[in-house]
Amino acid sequence: MSTQKDTSLSRSERRHKEIRLALRVFRYFLPYKWAMLVALIASGVVSATTAGTAWLIKPALDDIFIRQDAQALIYVPLAFIALTALKGVGRYVQNWCMHFSALRVIEKLRQELFHKIINLPLHFYEEAQVGALMSRVINDVGMIRQSLPAFIQIIRQVITMISLLYVVFQQNFELACWAVVVLPVAGFPLSLFSRALRRYGRKNAEVNASISSMLQELLSGIRVIKAFATEKEETDRFNKENAKIIRINFRQSCVSELSSPVMEFIGALGIGLVIWYGGREVVQGNMTPGTFFAFMGALAMLYSPFKTLNGANMNVQNALAGAERVFAILDDPALKTEKGGGLDVNEPFRELAFRNVTLRYGDESVPALRGITLTVRSGERIAFVGPSGAGKTTLVNLIPRFYVPQEGEITLNGRPLGDYSLASLRRSVAMVSQDAFLFDTTIAENIAYGRDPALPLDMERVRRAAAAAYADGFVSELPGGYETLIGERGVRLSGGQKQRLTIARAILKDAPLLILDEATSALDSESEHMVQKALDNLMLNRTSLIIAHRLSTILEADRIVVMECGQIVDIGRHEELLGRCELYTRLYNMQFRALDEPCGTETASTES
């Protein structure tokens, strides 16, 4: 007994959830209520003309073919043509209004979803799958587009059914009762099909997101796949996900296709009863053949929209499944967008101070940074060294507030970082990392990335920045010069060329604080030499924080911060640390001894 109550309660809750979800989707269509109203009126015209076409069957048979009325021979065909033309106009207007409003809603939803996603903190992207996010923005929002057209179609079919019911009851009340007695029976399978379609729609969206993530990962890592000759293994992995999609789509199709014959069979029961009862009435002379065939025509048209409701219902269920996944991101209280203060960084850089800063990633018990206390003054060149996992990159990522520490405080010019707006804070910091990311656009647009889009592109400043980064030479030799498209992630350029363009981008940004995160670690010796010259130009008259892979690049730093296990071990100049700091001495000896040995020995990694 309690189990039945729990089941009915869960069904009731599920029904209320669906209604709330549908109403929320519907609110996005409210700004286009005029289009919805016109679509409803047009659907009423389509329904009325459908019923009018059914009504014309009686005068066509009785007046033209049986009584051979010459006048009817004129007005019945003309009425049929007029009704068909009016129906076509109504259908076109209805579809135009539905698609207009649906596409506008897609635009609005995609804007809201992308705005939410792109303003989420950096740690969200470290946990989320890019392909799954792409699927939410493209596929799931696209599924919502079906909701209003399907809703209008349901209304149109209901109006059509009401109009046709009027025709059949007006023709013969008793016969109509026999015809519609089976309609309530169709409600039960329609409800079962709705739940199944909704379930498969949700699964389909999830699997599509999964395969999008896999494709994004595989195509981004195609060089690694080919280097390890794992095409067959990755193809097998893709085939498994692809087969899963096919299975779910097949089951969804089976449910959808099963609903049609079930509905047709229920309709056939009603039609069979009508033929038996109506045929007997015609044989006994109680009904004219025209009346009977007009009734049958209206009845056939009546069952058609009832079957169409199943297809519309499938679209509604898919739309609700997509809406669930979209609103899951928009409404998730755990997904909080980044927020800064109200102040702009509009004064010269004087000092950046870390006071007892501690940071943990997520729910990890071991902190990534522990008790960091450090002051950076204007014009200083400070280097960070230490083994992998020491926390060097994590530390500098706190400055533009990519992460927010749980304990301690970071101040800029005496004010907490949280008091400044994120945009102005990040505009005051230029970062160059070993991952030289470039966009699939022109070289000029990449160098000037982040400029005010309302202002024209200043090519003179772009060229000066490129020259200072030692990039002007190779750019000028390209067929398109600064208008050359460089491909996705700059695939058409070498590593050194890409790095020099990112340095040119940082030079053009002209931020007072510079962060170099192992900017030369992935380059060969010749490229490193050229990039190091570009970095020297970049660091002129700027406060610089340098994460070093090769200690030879930071020997002249004003201070060297030695880190290990998220803590600062020692701070000083190269001469002071050598011998005093055991970790620094060990790192220095490992690297410089390797340079002195003929064959070279492996050096311990000092990357973050």
Side-chain angles (χ1 to χ4, degrees), residues 144-293:
I144 297 176
R145 175 187 175 182
Q146 305 168 2
S147 58
L148 181 65
F151 176 71
I152 296 292
Q153 188 179 31
I154 288 173
I155 292 178
R156 188 182 81 193
Q157 301 304 340
V158 169
I159 295 174
T160 301
M161 290 171 65
I162 292 172
S163 303
L164 290 169
L165 280 172
Y166 171 78
V167 172
V168 297
F169 275 99
Q170 189 262 344
Q171 296 287 349
N172 190 300
F173 185 82
E174 290 184 6
L175 198 57
C177 290
W178 283 100
V180 300
V181 72
V182 298
L183 289 181
V185 180
F188 179 68
L190 189 62
S191 175
L192 290 178
F193 292 137
S194 296
R195 288 200 295 270
L197 290 171
R198 175 82 176 279
R199 185 172 65 253
Y200 284 121
R202 191 184 301 113
K203 286 182 179 178
N204 198 20
E206 291 170 357
V207 177
N208 273 323
S210 175
I211 201 168
S212 294
S213 297
M214 178 183 290
L215 276 172
Q216 192 273 337
E217 180 184 50
L218 294 180
L219 297 180
S220 297
I222 190 66
R223 288 180 180 272
V224 177
I225 292 171
K226 290 190 174 296
F228 283 84
T230 56
E231 289 93 341
K232 184 180 183 304
E233 290 81 356
E234 298 300 349
T235 300
D236 292 340
R237 192 157 69 97
F238 175 81
N239 289 344
K240 288 180 182 177
E241 287 296 315
N242 192 35
K244 192 184 297 183
I245 287 182
I246 297 302
R247 283 198 302 272
I248 292 173
N249 281 330
F250 179 71
R251 290 170 185 169
Q252 189 176 30
S253 299
C254 287
V255 172
S256 178
E257 293 304 320
L258 180 62
S259 62
S260 293
V262 169
M263 295 300 183
E264 286 180 3
F265 178 74
I266 293 172
L269 291 176
I271 290 175
L273 289 172
V274 167
I275 293 174
W276 169 76
Y277 182 82
R280 191 183 67 174
E281 290 292 294
V282 171
V283 170
Q284 293 175 355
N286 298 328
M287 184 189 300
T288 67
T291 301
F292 175 73
F293 281 105

